[in-house]
């Protein structure tokens, strides 16, 4: 069961698609329309089959050809679509911690939103692809409470959803209240442990109970009691516990709002959620921002890049 906009294409013929792509990129000039139509309407498993057929038929690497024939954001989007999900996430994390300066935004987005099983797979793939331990890399580039919460999330040991113990709900809500609002200074560790390890259904009840006890939403307390990267990560975790699609709707909205577009985030979210929950994200987007995701992409992007994103989006919700 998925709520993605991209599903398996039928009838599917990997060889025919490979031939069409080769023809589109061969000789002078590139037929971008054919490239984007094929790659945005096949799911990732099918794209891998096309790449394999491409190599078999022409002795060429499809991704290398895409890189040499396309340019700019459109190229980035098409190449991203060719990466299998876990490799895509591992690659994004690798680039977030490579070289000077760390992209905390990417670490926050991926580790706050992926399920424990997904995090385990990302770690495994990271090790295979880059012969390095993801946790070691992240701890080498981060520090303080931000680092500790990332490490907790990387353990991927969140309690399974097994029914809720109301006594423990009350206790956790009180602990959070005492660690934040009632304390001079903040006991960040309590927030990290509870938000990083308890089950989703348990935490949703804790947030309700917290509101009853303190009169504040947990987000308001985090906003007041913490700052910087830790604050952003705690808020992302809370938002994802409440609703992953709502979190991504907000992320997409902020990537396009105001002057200039954060294309890196736009591409990352559209590609990584296209087979997971983009239909739900579209719904949340429409509900929370009084316009459709489709319209915002249309207004904010242009050319083949826009065409491809709109195909991935899969429809307008007006």
């Amino acid at each position: 069961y998925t709520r993605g906009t991209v599903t398996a294409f039928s009838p599917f013929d990997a060889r025919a698609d490979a031939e069409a792509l080769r023809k589109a990129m061969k000789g002078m000039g590139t037929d971008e329309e054919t490239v984007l139509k094929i790659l945005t309407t096949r799911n990732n498993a099918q794209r891998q089959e096309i790449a394999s057929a491409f190599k078999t038929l022409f002795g060429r690497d499809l991704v290398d050809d895409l890189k040499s024939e396309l340019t700019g954001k459109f190229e980035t989007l098409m190449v991203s679509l060719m990466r299998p999900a876990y490799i895509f996430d591992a690659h994004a994390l690798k680039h977030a911690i490579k070289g000077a300066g760390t992209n905390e935004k990417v670490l926050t987005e991926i580790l706050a939103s992926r399920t424990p099983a997904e995090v385990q797979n990302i770690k495994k793939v990271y090790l295979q692809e880059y012969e390095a331990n993801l946790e070691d890399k992240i701890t080498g580039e981060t520090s303080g409470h931000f680092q500790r919460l990332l490490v907790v999330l990387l353990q991927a040991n969140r309690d399974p959803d097994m029914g809720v113990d109301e006594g423990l709900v009350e206790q956790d809500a009180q602990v959070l209240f005492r660690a934040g609002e009632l304390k001079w200074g903040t006991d960040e560790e309590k927030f990290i442990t509870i938000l990083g390890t308890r089950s989703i259904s348990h935490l949703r009840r804790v947030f309700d109970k917290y509101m009853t006890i303190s009169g504040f939403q947990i987000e308001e307390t985090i906003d007041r009691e913490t700052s910087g990267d830790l604050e952003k990560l705690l808020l992302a975790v809370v938002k994802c516990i409440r609703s992953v699609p709502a979190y991504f709707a907000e992320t997409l909205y902020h990537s396009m709002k105001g002057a200039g577009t954060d294309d890196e985030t736009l591409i990352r979210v559209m590609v990584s959620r296209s087979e997971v929950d983009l239909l739900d994200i579209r719904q949340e987007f429409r509900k929370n921002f009084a316009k459709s995701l489709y319209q915002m992409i249309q207004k904010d992007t242009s050319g083949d890049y826009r065409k491809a994103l709109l195909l991935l989006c899969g429809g307008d919700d007006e």
Side-chain angles (χ1 to χ4, degrees), residues 60-123:
R60 303 174 69 91
D61 185 293
L62 176 55
V63 172
D64 289 347
D65 278 12
L66 290 169
K67 284 178 178 169
S68 71
E69 293 296 324
L70 310 174
T71 56
K73 296 175 282 206
F74 180 56
E75 175 201 336
T76 307
L77 178 57
M78 293 298 108
V79 170
S80 296
L81 284 169
M82 292 306 301
R83 289 197 177 99
Y86 299 127
I87 291 184
F88 182 77
D89 281 346
H91 181 266
L93 289 168
K94 164 110 168 115
H95 280 266
I97 45 189
K98 177 179 127 191
T102 305
N103 188 338
E104 288 84 4
K105 189 176 181 174
V106 176
L107 299 184
T108 294
E109 181 197 299
I110 293 177
L111 293 174
S113 64
R114 302 307 190 252
T115 64
E118 286 168 340
V119 173
Q120 295 292 10
N121 278 315
I122 293 165
K123 290 197 296 191

Side-chain angles (χ1 to χ4, degrees), residues 9-278:
F9 183 83
S10 174
F12 173 63
D13 180 344
R15 286 180 78 104
D17 283 348
E19 281 163 1
L21 286 169
R22 176 71 185 124
K23 191 170 159 219
M25 293 189 282
K26 199 173 148 185
M28 289 294 288
T30 304
D31 169 8
E32 283 91 354
E33 190 83 19
T34 297
V35 174
L36 72 87
K37 280 236 160 70
I38 292 176
L39 296 186
T40 59
T41 55
R42 311 302 189 260
N43 70 10
N44 200 284
Q46 291 175 327
R47 290 180 213 128
Q48 303 314 316
E49 284 185 55
I50 295 168
S52 159
F54 197 87
K55 197 164 267 183
T56 301
L57 294 171
F58 311 113
R60 303 174 69 91
D61 185 293
L62 176 55
V63 172
D64 289 347
D65 278 12
L66 290 169
K67 284 178 178 169
S68 71
E69 293 296 324
L70 310 174
T71 56
K73 296 175 282 206
F74 180 56
E75 175 201 336
T76 307
L77 178 57
M78 293 298 108
V79 170
S80 296
L81 284 169
M82 292 306 301
R83 289 197 177 99
Y86 299 127
I87 291 184
F88 182 77
D89 281 346
H91 181 266
L93 289 168
K94 164 110 168 115
H95 280 266
I97 45 189
K98 177 179 127 191
T102 305
N103 188 338
E104 288 84 4
K105 189 176 181 174
V106 176
L107 299 184
T108 294
E109 181 197 299
I110 293 177
L111 293 174
S113 64
R114 302 307 190 252
T115 64
E118 286 168 340
V119 173
Q120 295 292 10
N121 278 315
I122 293 165
K123 290 197 296 191
K124 212 179 299 170
V125 166
Y126 197 94
L127 192 57
Q128 284 161 0
E129 291 287 305
Y130 306 116
E131 295 178 344
N133 177 301
L134 178 59
E135 190 183 316
D136 292 348
K137 288 288 176 196
I138 288 178
T139 50
E141 296 295 330
T142 55
S143 62
H145 293 295
F146 175 62
Q147 178 199 75
R148 286 182 205 143
L149 180 50
L150 288 173
V151 170
V152 168
L153 295 171
L154 278 166
Q155 303 318 300
N157 276 333
R158 191 177 287 290
D159 299 337
D161 274 317
M162 303 279 281
V164 175
D165 170 351
E166 288 302 330
L168 189 59
V169 166
E170 171 82 38
Q171 189 185 318
D172 278 351
Q174 292 285 0
V175 167
L176 289 172
F177 187 42
R178 285 198 297 271
E181 299 289 348
L182 287 184
K183 193 174 185 325
W184 179 253
T186 310
D187 183 351
E188 290 90 353
E189 205 157 273
K190 297 280 194 291
F191 280 84
I192 289 170
T193 304
I194 292 174
L195 294 178
T197 61
R198 302 284 197 256
S199 78
I200 303 290
S201 48
H202 172 83
L203 284 167
R204 284 177 184 159
R205 292 284 304 117
V206 170
F207 299 161
D208 293 343
K209 180 62 79 178
Y210 186 86
M211 180 74 194
T212 314
I213 294 170
S214 69
F216 299 115
Q217 292 287 8
I218 188 84
E219 290 91 333
E220 297 173 78
T221 295
I222 289 170
D223 199 27
R224 266 200 303 277
E225 297 288 329
T226 61
S227 61
D229 294 326
L230 174 67
E231 180 191 348
K232 291 189 186 108
L233 181 54
L234 283 167
L235 286 173
V237 169
V238 168
K239 285 171 184 170
C240 288
I241 283 157
R242 289 194 190 274
S243 161
V244 169
Y247 169 72
F248 280 117
E250 190 184 333
T251 305
L252 284 169
Y253 178 72
H254 286 294
S255 75
M256 293 182 278
K257 174 181 151 263
T261 305
D262 175 358
D263 292 293
E264 202 181 293
T265 298
L266 179 57
I267 291 170
R268 191 174 55 249
V269 176
M270 292 297 287
V271 170
S272 65
R273 308 316 287 184
S274 60
E275 290 181 45
V276 185
D277 53 3
L278 196 47

